[in-house]
Amino acid sequence: MSRFSVAGRSAASGANIDDVGVHLWNPHATISIYVREVWGFKTVATVDNQALVRTTTIGTTPGTTVTPDLDNHFARRYAPISGATMYLQGFATEPVVAGPYMMRTNLPAAIGAGFIWVFSEPLEVPAGTGLAVVTPVAVILQPADYTYVWDE
């Protein structure tokens, strides 16, 4: 397997439960990706809540799209075969969340407050699904820098 990472900065979400801050989508028809780490660090000094959850749709019109290329490969050899793509807040239609929250945290009102979720056994993200950081309560998910690390 090869390791990849992708990073980006989100905008503030709406104040709705399950509004997505960042979404890693696996568009491939057959290949799974295996997420090893998810990082999030706030860029503003306000309180917010964050949760990790699976998704079944891509959503529409994200605020920002980050498409990994060979620079995102840890050995800088090729772009992700899966076509995995990061989508950041500003969705016209939010991705559909599926299942319970896998991780959850509450962050203080401090710039730089954040989390690093590391999985000793990676989380499989099957073809045609995603993994998102959402707000689990009806409070704005604040702007933050996010990183996903995965194998495929």
Side-chain angles (χ1 to χ4, degrees):
M1 285 199 180
S2 292
R3 185 153 298 169
F4 297 88
S5 67
V6 64
R9 180 169 287 177
S10 71
S13 75
N16 304 300
I17 294 173
D18 292 337
D19 273 358
V20 173
V22 61
H23 185 213
L24 183 67
W25 181 252
N26 177 9
H28 203 276
T30 59
I31 293 175
S32 289
I33 63 174
Y34 300 87
V35 174
R36 308 284 315 189
E37 301 172 13
V38 180
W39 303 22
F41 293 92
K42 294 172 27 147
T43 60
V44 297
T46 52
V47 173
D48 65 353
N49 300 270
Q50 305 201 18
L52 186 67
V53 69
R54 293 185 182 278
T55 60
T56 58
T57 66
I58 193 170
T60 62
T61 321
T64 304
T65 301
V66 182
T67 304
D69 59 20
L70 70 92
D71 294 315
N72 298 88
H73 185 266
F74 274 38
R76 201 172 183 275
R77 292 200 176 109
Y78 50 86
I81 294 167
S82 67
T85 304
M86 174 186 267
Y87 297 100
L88 296 143
Q89 181 44 248
F91 294 92
T93 303
E94 297 283 332
V96 174
V97 301
Y101 301 132
M102 302 168 78
M103 308 292 283
R104 189 171 171 163
T105 188
N106 179 297
L107 299 176
I111 293 172
F115 61 84
I116 300 175
W117 292 324
V118 179
F119 310 106
S120 58
E121 293 296 323
L123 300 175
E124 181 177 3
V125 180
T129 67
L131 197 60
V133 176
V134 302
T135 178
V137 295
V139 174
I140 292 171
L141 188 62
Q142 300 299 329
D145 290 329
Y146 291 103
T147 302
Y148 283 90
V149 178
W150 76 95
D151 296 334
E152 58 180 65

